[in-house]
Amino acid sequence: MNRFLPLVILLVLALFLGLGLRKDPSIVPSPLINQPAPSFELPELRDVNKTVTKETSLGTPYLLNVWATWCANCRVEHPVLMQIANDGRIPIVGLNYKDDRPAALQWLTDYGDPYRDIAYDESGRVSIDFGVYGAPETFLIDSEGNVRHKVIGPISVELWQETLLPMLAEL
Amino acid sequence: MNLRTTLALLLLTFSCQLFAVTNEFEFGNRVNEQRYLSYISKIRCLVCQNESLGSSRSDLAIDLRNEIYRLMAQGQSNEQIDDFLVSRYGDFILYQPPVKSSTLMLWFGPFVLLFVLLTLLLFRIKKMKNQPTTLSASEQQQARELLNPKEDQHD
């Protein structure tokens, strides 16, 4: 037994290190999962006279997509968002994060506009309440306004089909 | 370059680094500078994870420093600010994670391991001490044979 002890210790260590290698440290789990989404009130990006609040979207599940024109991965994600919008199963609300309004409007003209509402978070203060630390990030929020899932990084077609759609079916 | 110039340049270099953070805000009665600087050195910047909030230049770090300064100016305690950050970003934002069921292994695992290994070591030492130091007759015989092999045992 004693002869094998070092081997056992090595194997346990290897198991933990192996598990550690499979984790992506840049993905920090959000404490907001299964918690009510933070309240907010922000101007609408496209229509200065309108405001977007948490209450605006209560009643149906929706995706809250944090994006900005300075974010390269948002460009990668954009066609998938267009596809989700055209699919029509879930509305997408944009949270435009620390961006420049004219540039953001130009982006929507150039690449298409998948958003039902867009909250314009120029200072980034509301995004801090959502625990945003990069873009893109996307929250799946249910009809009662609770956060159910968070995607860090761009949504891919696979992620939409294999993760978000099944979750949406359960809401 | 003589020693004095070198020293002056060195001092200037370091003073700039200190200013890089402190000149963002005004410190006085409302917010204590030492408290602020030591606090932001214990918070992780989530954008560049191996840097503290205090040393990071990322946009988010600047925003969070503003927020922390604002909360301190409002008179909030370090624990309240910890709660503010953890409720949004999770425990990972603190360099020193809180003691709770999911972090028990992290906090006490090494001590448990140390205790187990020390116990094993003590047992082994005890076992070695209990072994008789004198050899029995048959053992003496065996030892003699090993030390003085007889000719006929070899080819």
Side-chain angles (χ1 to χ4, degrees):
Chain A
M1 162 62 209
N2 274 350
R3 279 174 59 191
F4 294 107
L5 195 64
L7 187 66
V8 172
I9 292 173
L10 179 74
L11 285 177
V12 171
L13 200 66
L15 178 77
F16 276 100
L17 292 176
L19 286 175
L21 274 181
R22 287 161 169 271
K23 286 191 163 182
D24 182 351
S26 70
I27 293 179
V28 181
S30 170
L32 288 172
I33 307 295
N34 295 324
Q35 300 288 324
S39 297
F40 63 91
E41 187 175 343
L42 284 171
E44 152 73 30
L45 177 77
R46 297 158 300 190
D47 185 350
V48 208
N49 300 317
K50 275 173 68 180
T51 53
V52 184
T53 65
K54 183 186 168 183
E55 286 68 33
T56 313
S57 302
L58 288 180
T60 49
Y62 63 101
L63 293 175
L64 183 76
N65 176 247
V66 183
W67 68 285
T69 55
W70 49 259
C71 146
N73 269 330
C74 297
R75 181 74 194 87
V76 174
E77 184 185 54
H78 196 269
V80 184
L81 294 181
M82 290 304 288
Q83 203 179 318
I84 296 172
N86 289 332
D87 180 73
R89 261 179 273 203
I90 186 166
I92 308 174
V93 175
L95 182 60
N96 186 245
Y97 174 52
K98 288 176 81 75
D99 210 347
D100 170 54
R101 182 174 240 140
L105 291 173
Q106 189 59 48
W107 166 292
L108 297 174
T109 315
D110 289 348
Y111 307 126
D113 183 352
Y115 302 107
R116 187 185 66 190
D117 305 296
I118 305 175
Y120 180 47
D121 189 17
E122 191 177 12
S123 71
R125 182 58 189 78
V126 165
S127 300
I128 287 181
D129 284 343
F130 275 90
V132 170
Y133 63 94
E137 286 184 9
T138 305
F139 298 85
L140 173 62
I141 298 175
D142 68 16
S143 50
E144 280 101 53
N146 299 309
V147 177
R148 300 301 284 267
H149 187 66
K150 181 181 182 183
V151 180
I152 292 161
I155 299 177
S156 61
V157 177
E158 295 75 38
L159 193 110
W160 161 244
Q161 285 171 347
E162 284 156 29
T163 310
L164 293 176
L165 268 183
M167 289 187 116
L168 184 58
E170 283 178 25
L171 291 184
Chain B
M1 227 180 340
N2 64 30
L3 186 68
R4 197 179 290 181
T5 326
T6 317
L7 200 65
L9 279 175
L10 264 175
L11 284 173
L12 273 173
T13 315
F14 287 115
S15 67
C16 287
Q17 271 186 343
L18 288 177
F19 270 119
V21 167
T22 55
N23 68 0
E24 281 180 359
F25 303 109
E26 279 185 20
F27 294 94
N29 293 333
R30 284 193 311 156
V31 180
N32 178 284
E33 184 171 351
Q34 276 312 311
R35 177 192 164 204
Y36 171 79
L37 289 179
S38 99
Y39 186 80
I40 58 173
S41 71
K42 289 174 196 153
I43 302 298
R44 189 193 306 272
C45 171
L46 290 181
V47 180
C48 23
Q49 297 181 351
N50 293 329
E51 270 191 297
S52 75
L53 200 63
S55 57
S56 171
R57 292 170 182 221
S58 75
D59 252 18
L60 179 69
I62 295 169
D63 288 350
L64 284 176
R65 285 202 294 266
N66 281 326
E67 208 52 37
I68 289 168
Y69 177 84
R70 201 179 58 79
L71 293 172
M72 284 188 173
Q74 280 176 9
Q76 297 216 10
S77 69
N78 287 6
E79 290 71 33
Q80 283 172 308
I81 302 173
D82 280 353
D83 288 344
F84 173 89
L85 293 170
V86 167
S87 66
R88 287 160 177 76
Y89 293 98
D91 289 335
F92 191 63
I93 199 164
L94 306 176
Y95 272 125
Q96 184 171 318
V99 183
K100 57 185 199 184
S101 59
S102 62
T103 58
L104 282 181
M105 262 266 278
L106 188 68
W107 276 99
F108 302 107
F111 298 108
V112 172
L113 199 66
L114 184 69
F115 178 77
V116 168
L117 290 178
L118 275 180
T119 317
L120 281 177
L121 188 69
L122 281 176
F123 264 111
R124 192 165 274 203
I125 290 172
K126 222 174 162 186
K127 214 167 121 188
M128 280 166 74
K129 273 189 179 165
N130 286 345
Q131 273 176 354
T133 42
T134 49
L135 298 177
S136 68
S138 64
E139 279 170 337
Q140 294 244 0
Q141 176 65 29
Q142 208 183 347
R144 239 192 318 274
E145 274 168 19
L146 283 169
L147 288 168
N148 311 305
K150 286 175 194 158
E151 284 303 310
D152 59 16
Q153 281 179 332
H154 291 271
D155 287 328

